[in-house]
Amino acid sequence: MSIKKLGNRLLQMLIVLIGISFLTFLLTYMSPGDPVRNMFLSTGIQPTEAQIEEAREAMGFNDPFFVRYGRWIAGCLHGDFGESYSLDKPVGELLMARLWPTLQLTIASLVIMIIISVPLGILSAVYRNKPIDYVVRAVTFFGVSLPNFWVGLMLILFFCVQLRWFNVVASSGSFQDLILPAVTLAIAMSAKYTRQVRTAVLEELGSDYVVGLRARGVPEWKILWFNVLPNSFLPLITMLGISIGSLLGGTSVVEVVFSYPGLGNLAVNAIKSSDYYLIQGYVLWVSVIYMVVNLIVDISYNYIDPRIRIRR
Amino acid sequence: MEKKKNFFLRYPSFTIFAFLGIVVIIMAILAPVITGGADPTKGNLADAILAPNDAHPFGTDKMGRDVFTRVMYGARVSLSATFALIIIIFIVGTILGVLAGYFGGILDAVIMRIADMMMAFPGLVLAIAVAGIMGTSTINAIIAISLVSWPKYARLARSLTMKIRHTDYVAAATVTGSKTGYMLRKYMLPNALPTLVITAATDVGTMMMELAALSFLGFGATPPTPEWGYMLNEGRNYIQYAPWMMIFPGLAIFITVVIFNMLGDSLRDILDPKTAE
């Protein structure tokens, strides 16, 4: 990626970020819940109207929309994302504390997904239209139709309630608590990824150079290991990047199922208690992470695939 | 008549799953008949949390409501919400995409930048935020998922339109004095529709799961509405004593999604033989 292209890309990211920050701010602005009233209620105080009005004025809720938006953005640029009233802590601190568990969960589920789907996808492509291919395809088909939160609940039912191997509530953050949520996320993704691995390998297997190699008498296993697989991994890296991004958002449902102490769980609770600064901070953080991951994937593409480097 | 028969015989997988899909829809419509007039929202507290038995084949929930009745009525909510969602994103995405592709310029730039913004973002995060902030209801959940799902259709419609925008027959039509509205209706829309219909058909299952996920989180259907995702939410706290409260609504989602995914895939194979296995 040339410097100019990178600059363009960063500029685009900035525009998208401004748009997203504006949208989330607008949504919370229009939202029917009253944060000041909720704040009082969450501390157990039944406020008088005068108290609410006073607090609104003091917290700047009575200022015009753009003043409030500007103040929030200026704070964000200085690393101050506001104060979460429901948890009584700075939003930045809360998000930081929950980031690592979610990253752990993301990485663990990706590793499990790769372990499951890469061998299955390759097998299914190499033995195309043989029994093993039909079995893999049938399994992946049912896999993509399973809602992940239900898979999580069923795993809890089996492993926690029936077998009592794990705790029902996975909130301690230990390695044991990571296993079931990671497996849950991996199951749904593996089904999708297995199909993509299969398609990618099939595409390579059908290309002309494979026919050429076969004609020259190169053993099939050598073609597979030294030509087909390295080539078919290129598109898979992009897909992996996309799944990292969607995982960051998609973990929230599974985090709630397992009461896992991650970003998604925090966000769901923030929304339930109309904790606006926390919601806005979360949306902004996740979008930044998502865009950075996509950028890294694109840049790494340049290093992995020599053709892109030469072309520019 | 003869020709029609051939069609169904030629595509057995489409025939089977179209039949099953219709069965599911009929079951949803006939829910009051199937459940013998039981009320899905009212229960007898004396019957709370009963394991599956003769009177209650799927057991009862914490309010003594029959889970079988609720699952049957739940199909109504899930199916109508999913179809409403698909229709909204299909119409909005197609219109915006065709307009962007046909007119280009500023209109194109504005529409596509908004689409980029929605796509430069993990979909469910924004949907959760939107649904949560706007308040809990099935309609808000539909709006939230529509907001993050239309760009896919708009992009597709736009690229399909741009592909034929500068072909000779379109130029000929313009030269012979066809009006813009006529051009859009006669050439641009019919050109984009087949691919978009296939996309919509294959998306039904995914959308159903996303709606159920929002309801499960508590940002969709509100009590006492029987909705599969929300039933799982309610059943969650009783997992140790009453697993049937979660097993059956989940199975209902799974089976319905399988049927509509299969139907979508077989429809794609018929309409677009290129991508068929």
Side-chain angles (χ1 to χ4, degrees), chain A residues 141-142 145, chain B residues 13 16-24 201 204-205 252-266:
Chain A
F141 185 82
F142 286 114
S145 306
Chain B
S13 116
I16 292 169
F17 289 100
F19 174 73
L20 289 175
I22 291 167
V23 167
V24 172
V204 173
I253 301 176
F254 173 58
I255 292 169
T256 317
V257 170
V258 164
I259 291 173
F260 282 99
N261 274 348
M262 275 300 222
L263 185 59
D265 282 4
S266 54

Side-chain angles (χ1 to χ4, degrees), chain A residues 19-20 27 31-32 141-142 144-147 149-150 153-154 157 198 249 252 256-257 271-272 282-283 286-287 290, chain B residues 117 120-122 125 128 130 132-133 209 213 216-217 219 232 236 239 243 246-247 250-251 253-254 258 261-262 277:
Chain A
I20 284 171
L27 275 170
S31 141
F141 185 82
F142 286 114
V144 293
S145 306
L146 281 170
F149 50 97
W150 190 56
L153 289 170
M154 289 296 118
L157 185 61
R198 178 176 181 274
S252 47
V256 170
V257 170
I271 290 169
K272 285 192 174 149
Y282 165 76
V283 173
V286 173
S287 43
Y290 185 66
Chain B
M117 205 175 89
F121 203 80
V125 173
I128 289 173
V130 172
I133 291 166
M209 285 201 283
F216 172 74
L217 290 177
F219 301 133
L232 289 175
R236 213 184 128 213
I239 191 163
M246 293 165 8
I247 292 176
L251 267 182
I253 301 176
F254 173 58
V258 164
N261 274 348
M262 275 300 222
E277 267 291 324

Side-chain angles (χ1 to χ4, degrees), chain A residues 12 15-20 23-24 27-33 128-129 133 137 141-150 152-154 156-157 161-162 164 168 195 198 202 245-246 248-250 252-253 256-259 267-269 271-272 276 279 282-284 286-287 290-291 294, chain B residues 17 113 116-126 128-135 147 205-206 208-214 216-219 228-229 232-233 235-236 239-244 246-255 257-263 265 268 276-277:
Chain A
Q12 250 179 23
I15 295 170
V16 169
L17 262 183
I18 293 171
I20 284 171
L23 188 75
T24 39
L27 275 170
T28 51
Y29 182 79
M30 294 189 315
S31 141
R128 186 186 185 178
N129 292 337
D133 182 27
R137 272 159 63 189
F141 185 82
F142 286 114
V144 293
S145 306
L146 281 170
N148 59 10
F149 50 97
W150 190 56
L153 289 170
M154 289 296 118
I156 291 180
L157 185 61
V161 178
Q162 301 286 328
R164 297 186 181 280
V168 172
R195 286 175 160 191
R198 178 176 181 274
L202 271 182
S246 58
L248 283 168
S252 47
V253 185
V256 170
V257 170
F258 289 94
S259 314
V268 170
N269 287 329
I271 290 169
K272 285 192 174 149
Y276 293 144
I279 303 169
Y282 165 76
V283 173
L284 211 57
V286 173
S287 43
Y290 185 66
M291 283 190 273
N294 280 343
Chain B
F17 289 100
R113 284 303 80 72
D116 283 350
M117 205 175 89
M118 294 296 185
M119 286 183 108
F121 203 80
L124 201 60
V125 173
L126 197 57
I128 289 173
V130 172
I133 291 166
M134 289 196 311
L147 262 180
T206 318
M208 191 173 282
M209 285 201 283
E210 283 193 10
L211 277 171
L214 274 190
F216 172 74
L217 290 177
F219 301 133
W228 294 334
L232 289 175
N233 178 343
R236 213 184 128 213
I239 191 163
Q240 271 148 319
Y241 336 97
W244 56 87
M246 293 165 8
I247 292 176
F248 295 108
L251 267 182
I253 301 176
F254 173 58
I255 292 169
V257 170
V258 164
I259 291 173
F260 282 99
N261 274 348
M262 275 300 222
L263 185 59
D265 282 4
R268 181 194 57 205
E277 267 291 324

Side-chain angles (χ1 to χ4, degrees), chain A residues 36-200:
Chain A
V36 178
R37 197 178 300 270
N38 284 337
M39 191 180 68
F40 275 112
L41 291 176
S42 73
T43 53
I45 302 167
Q46 188 65 44
T48 63
E49 289 306 311
Q51 271 177 316
I52 289 181
E53 201 41 49
E54 199 179 312
R56 287 188 73 87
E57 193 60 51
M59 292 171 78
F61 277 109
N62 286 342
D63 294 339
F65 174 77
F66 279 101
V67 174
R68 286 173 57 193
Y69 175 67
R71 192 160 50 213
W72 177 62
I73 285 288
C76 290
L77 292 175
H78 291 99
D80 174 17
F81 294 88
E83 193 90 3
S84 154
Y85 76 82
S86 70
L87 297 163
D88 215 13
K89 272 185 185 157
V91 169
E93 196 179 293
L94 282 168
L95 291 172
M96 205 59 185
R98 298 297 190 97
L99 184 62
W100 178 231
T102 293
L103 277 183
Q104 270 181 312
L105 185 57
T106 306
I107 295 166
S109 55
L110 282 178
V111 169
I112 300 172
M113 177 191 88
I114 291 170
I115 294 173
I116 298 175
S117 58
V118 170
L120 280 184
I122 295 173
L123 267 180
S124 154
V126 171
Y127 295 100
R128 186 186 185 178
N129 292 337
K130 299 267 164 50
I132 187 160
D133 182 27
Y134 287 121
V135 172
V136 170
R137 272 159 63 189
V139 171
T140 58
F141 185 82
F142 286 114
V144 293
S145 306
L146 281 170
N148 59 10
F149 50 97
W150 190 56
V151 172
L153 289 170
M154 289 296 118
L155 289 179
I156 291 180
L157 185 61
F158 190 68
F159 289 105
C160 306
V161 178
Q162 301 286 328
L163 296 176
R164 297 186 181 280
W165 285 3
F166 303 96
N167 294 327
V168 172
V169 174
S171 60
S172 74
S174 65
F175 178 70
Q176 224 197 356
D177 285 348
L178 190 64
I179 299 172
L180 281 188
V183 168
T184 306
L185 284 168
I187 287 177
M189 286 193 304
S190 300
K192 230 181 249 172
Y193 208 64
T194 305
R195 286 175 160 191
Q196 287 167 338
V197 173
R198 178 176 181 274
T199 316

